[in-house]
Amino acid sequence: MRIPESELIINGNGSVFHLHMKPEHLADNVIMMGDPGRIDILADYLSDIECRNAHREFVSITGKYKGKRITAVSHGIGPDNIDIVMTELDALANVDFQTREVKPEHRTLNILRIGTSGALHADIPLGSYVLSHISVGFDGVMNWYGNREKITIPEVEEAFKKHMNWPDVLPSPYFVKASPKIIDLMKDITIKGATISAPGFYGPQGRVVRIPLAMPHMLEDIESFRFSTGGEDYRITNFEMESSPLAGMAAHLGHNACTVCCIIANRYLKSTNTDYKPIMRQLVETSLERMASL
């Protein structure tokens, strides 16, 4: 089936609409980061750089790390941007831009997203790394796609909504597992996480500045929630803004993806560390090493 021009926009130079990448620019192993400035930090470690593309918050490069081809792409802030980036990365991999048809052989991408996050328990220290084995979507992105139940954990979702007394006016939360392949790559240096992706930084993460919250006891209720799935026990560990649509869209599209976050705030202790760039650089180095091993 031919994908119409209006549904997948291809620029005049043959690049995809938002990312401005061409299919030949995409490596099988991808590192995603929110901040476009971090792409240049990662670029310091790469050789044989093939391209650098920039459009709005979307900056990408492809080069080699210890002989392994790697693409790095920034996605900006928020779950809506992940919908854009994941759709376009998959199109670059699996759509023929000449015929506008899906390629007969599926190409699988390995994707690791590096981010920052706020912890929800006192025993998760600043500077530690949390790996999102499971992501909890407050964002609603996956609710717009069909067959949601094939990639989510419905029984945990229902228990969570009951525990939280979830308001009908909010998007229905979804629970989705990350790729075991990427989890195995990073689990020895990280804390096992069940991570909430919120559609905002303030109210949706329980912060109050001047507007009162719809769920004033949200943080306490989240901290006390426990669940089991796949023979493992979980508690919700941290807040960020992108892991759930990444894990959900990757599962739908047949890619391996997971998020690892550096903890720069602890919501329980009300502490923060704004001088986290050296720790993030270390995470970039480690992530490159692990992704190059695939």
Side-chain angles (χ1 to χ4, degrees):
M1 182 184 74
R2 187 177 187 277
I3 302 169
E5 284 81 352
S6 61
E7 308 307 286
L8 176 64
I9 302 173
I10 299 172
N11 298 317
N13 67 351
S15 64
V16 74
F17 185 56
H18 294 90
L19 298 185
H20 281 213
M21 292 179 66
K22 296 179 181 179
E24 60 267 27
H25 292 162
L26 180 64
D28 289 340
N29 297 328
V30 180
I31 293 178
M32 291 172 54
M33 295 179 280
D35 183 355
R38 290 180 193 151
I39 298 298
D40 291 327
I41 294 174
L42 190 145
D44 291 342
Y45 297 92
L46 299 183
S47 64
D48 304 309
I49 292 178
E50 304 169 19
C51 60
R52 187 183 190 279
N53 309 293
H55 176 61
R56 299 186 181 181
E57 60 266 60
F58 308 112
V59 178
S60 63
I61 58 171
T62 295
K64 290 183 179 178
Y65 181 78
K66 295 186 176 180
K68 191 77 171 188
R69 195 164 177 255
I70 288 178
T71 292
V73 58
S74 65
H75 53 72
I77 296 176
D80 50 337
N81 280 4
I82 298 298
D83 177 69
I84 291 170
V85 173
M86 283 301 296
T87 299
E88 295 193 0
L89 287 176
D90 178 73
L92 289 163
N94 289 302
V95 175
D96 186 318
F97 277 23
Q98 299 301 315
T99 65
R100 291 186 158 271
E101 294 183 347
V102 176
K103 296 176 181 178
E105 285 192 23
H106 180 269
R107 179 183 174 193
T108 300
L109 303 176
N110 301 309
I111 303 169
L112 177 65
R113 191 183 79 80
I114 303 171
T116 55
S117 184
L120 293 171
H121 298 275
D123 61 345
I124 302 176
L126 297 178
S128 60
Y129 303 136
V130 173
L131 188 66
S132 305
H133 292 226
I134 290 177
S135 294
V136 186
F138 279 13
D139 53 274
V141 168
M142 299 316 302
N143 298 340
W144 290 95
Y145 290 97
N147 301 316
R148 173 191 187 277
E149 69 284 352
K150 292 184 178 180
I151 62 160
T152 59
I153 316 171
E155 65 276 10
V156 178
E157 294 171 4
E158 290 306 313
F160 180 73
K161 287 194 288 185
K162 183 176 180 180
H163 176 85
M164 297 291 296
N165 194 23
W166 195 259
D168 291 339
V169 295
L170 297 180
S172 184
Y174 60 92
F175 283 61
V176 59
K177 294 180 180 180
S179 162
K181 183 175 183 177
I182 311 299
I183 289 174
D184 288 345
L185 202 64
M186 301 292 290
K187 67 181 181 182
D188 63 314
I189 57 166
T190 55
I191 296 168
K192 182 178 76 172
T195 301
I196 289 175
S197 291
F201 183 78
Y202 291 99
Q205 294 188 34
R207 291 183 172 95
V208 179
V209 179
R210 290 200 334 112
I211 305 173
L213 300 175
M215 301 170 69
H217 303 293
M218 181 176 74
L219 288 184
E220 294 91 335
D221 291 340
I222 289 170
E223 289 163 8
S224 64
F225 183 65
R226 301 290 186 275
F227 66 99
S228 298
T229 184
E232 294 194 54
D233 297 327
Y234 291 89
R235 59 179 179 169
I236 294 175
T237 50
N238 58 314
F239 264 122
E240 51 82 81
M241 297 177 66
E242 293 91 13
S243 67
S244 58
L246 174 65
M249 295 196 71
H252 264 319
L253 293 167
H255 302 299
N256 301 309
C258 189
T259 291
V260 60
C261 283
C262 176
I263 298 299
I264 66 169
N266 189 295
R267 303 294 300 284
Y268 187 89
L269 298 176
K270 302 191 185 306
S271 59
T272 188
N273 173 25
T274 56
D275 185 23
Y276 59 84
K277 289 184 179 179
I279 306 169
M280 281 297 296
R281 182 175 280 273
Q282 182 180 349
L283 182 56
V284 167
E285 292 176 2
T286 303
S287 299
L288 278 167
E289 287 284 345
R290 299 299 174 93
M291 291 294 281
S293 71
L294 292 174

